[in-house]
Amino acid sequence: MTQSKNNGTTIAIVAMMFLFAMISFVTNMAAPFGTIWKNQYEWAGMMGNMMNFAAYLFMGIPAGMMITKIGYKKTALVALALGFIGICVQYLSSTMSVDAISTYVVYLLGAFICGFCVCILNTVVNPMLNLLGGGGNRGNQLIQTGGSLNSLTATLTPLLAGSMIGTITKQTSMTDVAPLLLIAMGVFAFSFLIILLTTIVEPETEKSDVVSSIKGALGYRHLVLGIIAIFFYVGIEVGIPGQMIFYLSQPVADGGVLGSVAIAGTIAAIYWLLMLVGRFTSSFISGKVSSRTQLLVVTIVALALVLVAIVMPESAKIALPGSEADPVDLAIFKFAGGEIPTKCVFLVLCGLCTSIMWGGIFNLATEGLGKYTAAASGLFMTMVVGGGIMPLIQNLMAGTVGDINSYWLIVAMLAFLLFYALVGCKPSNSKAA
């Protein structure tokens, strides 16, 4: 009996890891796709990303309710079905005229539907891995391991999208990335079948009144501050590479740096690759090093890296391998050389830091919540809308103060995470008022 239960737990963990990878596959298409739309409408670059994350505001709490009513597996299947529909709608926009505002509306609708998908998947995956790991350091370890797969797909997505888009021109449209959307449809259909046919032994969820559960969860001060921290964290994670893509892909004729989405996407992919390295490393040390210690260290390092990137002169540059005439082959990608500001290296290195933050904040904020864990997860997912709001604010700031100075917003958000790691995460027996 024990052996059977252990096997069921292992299968459940593997299934959740797979779903974790799906989340970033969908989310990380938004930034490179945004370069297409920014070329048509100056204000449109981050709107797809905004719609992706805006769905969290509407779906975070209902997703938690779905888990208590129909269970983790059925909730995941609903999410995958929504993801397939959302990708289909985005594909529809690739068949329409690129310069028509109605085409952009269709694309945004697809991004919004996909946002519902990733919100629900996040609500399923994080608490289930934490519960399957028994909470504490072991729960955080499983979340970090799943995050490693999440980062792998996060790395590949901008590489694929960037290589398909290449250099932005007036003729660039969603048609250029239609093959990636077709791949995404196939992945969602395959994932749906895999989860449908997988027997998952689910942790028990307590059936309780939703309003009272949310009220009970919000009674914990460390959770309330953790919810604010997760709002800012997702803004940091998305904003750092997202704004860098716009910074590097701006046409040279308009005063830009490189003017190539392919190179910008590759540089951003290195950021996500470093997140993979960070999460993979954390999966080994999380059983021994506390979430609080990890969060504290990486937040301080991230603050230092971003500050150096801001103050470093743009004249300091680093050469990339290859040249336009003789690009370096990386598997199916051609990496054309050139020079980028050295400050981008410091921004990319932030990936090592942001990699650990999500699991650490979630683990610290839900510590000791017991029956309120599902409700807390729903609240967390609602505040992931920060990944749409804060990068959009940063992008709008960039239009006024410049791309690099917009990173002062990142500094402010990291300062709050530092406060949370130092003081705000400490649980207490007494609840917040």
Side-chain angles (χ1 to χ4, degrees), residues 46 64 116 135 259 290 314 334:
M46 273 292 182
F116 280 104
S290 72
E314 196 164 282
K334 286 185 178 295

Side-chain angles (χ1 to χ4, degrees), residues 351-365:
L352 288 170
C353 303
T354 55
S355 63
I356 299 173
M357 292 176 179
W358 172 274
I361 295 171
F362 185 89
N363 187 257
L364 289 169

Side-chain angles (χ1 to χ4, degrees), residues 220-227 229 292 295 361 364-365 416-428:
Y220 291 85
R221 177 178 174 274
H222 68 288
L223 171 66
V224 174
L225 294 175
I227 288 171
R292 182 171 179 265
L295 181 60
I361 295 171
L364 289 169
F416 182 85
L417 294 194
L418 181 58
F419 158 76
Y420 185 69
L422 285 170
V423 180
C425 69
K426 294 180 180 179
S428 61

Side-chain angles (χ1 to χ4, degrees), residues 116-133:
F116 280 104
C117 161
V118 292
C119 174
I120 298 172
L121 286 180
N122 258 316
T123 311
V124 168
V125 169
N126 286 280
M128 190 161 182
L129 283 176
N130 198 38
L131 289 168
L132 288 170

Side-chain angles (χ1 to χ4, degrees), residues 44-174:
M46 273 292 182
M47 283 302 295
N49 180 74
M50 174 62 189
M51 293 302 287
N52 237 199
F53 283 96
Y56 283 82
L57 185 62
F58 299 96
M59 199 64 207
I61 293 174
M65 294 165 57
M66 287 174 64
I67 291 174
T68 61
K69 288 184 178 296
I70 63 176
Y72 286 88
K73 178 177 176 176
K74 290 181 180 178
T75 302
L77 290 173
V78 170
L80 292 171
L82 284 171
F84 181 82
I85 294 170
I87 294 297
C88 286
V89 174
Q90 289 187 64
Y91 179 78
L92 178 62
S93 71
S94 73
T95 66
M96 303 168 66
S97 175
V98 70
D99 57 354
I101 192 67
S102 58
T103 304
Y104 188 51
V105 171
V106 171
Y107 164 72
L108 291 180
L109 176 62
F112 189 59
I113 296 172
C114 282
F116 280 104
C117 161
V118 292
C119 174
I120 298 172
L121 286 180
N122 258 316
T123 311
V124 168
V125 169
N126 286 280
M128 190 161 182
L129 283 176
N130 198 38
L131 289 168
L132 288 170
N137 288 351
R138 171 61 176 164
N140 184 38
Q141 187 176 33
L142 286 180
I143 292 175
Q144 297 295 359
T145 303
S148 298
L149 293 177
N150 181 277
S151 295
L152 177 60
T153 52
T155 302
L156 295 176
T157 303
L159 274 173
L160 283 167
S163 67
M164 291 176 181
I165 296 171
T167 301
I168 288 288
T169 67
K170 288 297 181 183
Q171 286 70 46
T172 304
S173 70
M174 288 294 289

